[in-house]
Amino acid sequence: TKKALRQNKKRRLHNIAYKTRIKNLTKRAVSLYVEKKKEELTKIIPSIYKAFDKAAKIGILKKNTSARRKALIAKKLNSLK
């Protein structure tokens, strides 16, 4: 059980790091959307998609959750003119 606790701690830290990265990217995207900076938002979209896809692949987020959040960001991007 000691080994399992060590593994859980290590995995938890890894998962938290991924979730934090996703949150920061999402917050940045929302702030760019509010400021109506379409060019900059278009530039960071690939990194956001990559983070969501990787998190879904690893199991940090569920596949549909990842898809839903990506769709919301894409919807915001497309609403900008």
Side-chain angles (χ1 to χ4, degrees):
T1 59
K2 290 180 183 179
K3 182 179 178 183
L5 288 172
R6 286 196 309 268
Q7 288 174 330
N8 287 340
K9 184 178 180 182
K10 188 176 180 181
R11 289 178 184 145
R12 183 174 165 271
L13 292 173
H14 186 254
N15 291 346
I16 288 171
Y18 258 96
K19 285 184 179 182
T20 305
R21 183 166 189 266
I22 288 172
K23 282 181 193 175
N24 289 340
L25 285 169
T26 307
K27 284 179 190 176
R28 188 168 169 209
V30 170
S31 67
L32 289 173
Y33 170 74
V34 170
E35 295 169 7
K36 307 245 187 268
K37 295 184 178 179
K38 186 173 182 174
E39 297 81 23
E40 292 179 35
L41 183 57
T42 307
K43 287 179 185 174
I44 68 162
I45 285 287
S47 61
I48 293 171
Y49 280 10
K50 182 178 178 181
F52 276 121
D53 289 338
K54 181 106 176 183
K57 180 181 175 186
I58 294 172
I60 295 169
L61 293 177
K62 293 195 174 183
K63 188 175 73 171
N64 288 346
T65 303
S66 173
R68 186 180 68 245
R69 291 183 184 175
K70 283 175 16 184
L72 286 170
I73 291 170
K75 189 176 180 182
K76 286 182 179 186
L77 175 66
N78 291 332
S79 71
L80 289 176
K81 294 183 180 177

Short mmCIF file of all heavy atoms in Angstrom, two decimals, residues 8 14 22 26 56 74:
data_model
loop_
_atom_site.label_atom_id
_atom_site.label_comp_id
_atom_site.label_asym_id
_atom_site.label_seq_id
_atom_site.Cartn_x
_atom_site.Cartn_y
_atom_site.Cartn_z
N ASN A 8 0.00 7.15 -6.41
CA ASN A 8 -1.16 8.05 -6.45
C ASN A 8 -0.73 9.50 -6.32
O ASN A 8 -1.27 10.38 -7.01
CB ASN A 8 -2.15 7.71 -5.33
CG ASN A 8 -2.91 6.44 -5.60
OD1 ASN A 8 -2.98 5.99 -6.74
ND2 ASN A 8 -3.45 5.84 -4.55
N HIS A 14 0.75 15.03 -11.48
CA HIS A 14 0.79 15.08 -12.95
C HIS A 14 -0.56 15.54 -13.49
O HIS A 14 -0.63 16.39 -14.38
CB HIS A 14 1.15 13.68 -13.47
CG HIS A 14 1.35 13.63 -14.93
ND1 HIS A 14 0.42 13.07 -15.77
CD2 HIS A 14 2.35 14.08 -15.71
CE1 HIS A 14 0.86 13.17 -17.02
NE2 HIS A 14 2.02 13.78 -17.00
N ILE A 22 -4.59 23.44 -18.83
CA ILE A 22 -5.83 23.59 -19.60
C ILE A 22 -6.62 24.81 -19.11
O ILE A 22 -7.12 25.59 -19.92
CB ILE A 22 -6.67 22.31 -19.51
CG1 ILE A 22 -6.01 21.20 -20.33
CG2 ILE A 22 -8.09 22.54 -19.99
CD1 ILE A 22 -6.64 19.85 -20.16
N THR A 26 -7.50 28.09 -21.34
CA THR A 26 -8.90 28.44 -21.54
C THR A 26 -9.17 29.87 -21.07
O THR A 26 -9.86 30.63 -21.76
CB THR A 26 -9.81 27.45 -20.78
OG1 THR A 26 -9.47 26.12 -21.16
CG2 THR A 26 -11.26 27.70 -21.08
N ALA A 56 -7.61 14.10 -22.85
CA ALA A 56 -8.63 13.08 -23.09
C ALA A 56 -7.97 11.73 -23.35
O ALA A 56 -8.45 10.69 -22.89
CB ALA A 56 -9.50 13.48 -24.27
N ALA A 74 -14.29 27.04 -30.13
CA ALA A 74 -14.43 27.24 -31.57
C ALA A 74 -15.63 28.12 -31.88
O ALA A 74 -15.58 28.99 -32.77
CB ALA A 74 -14.56 25.90 -32.28
#
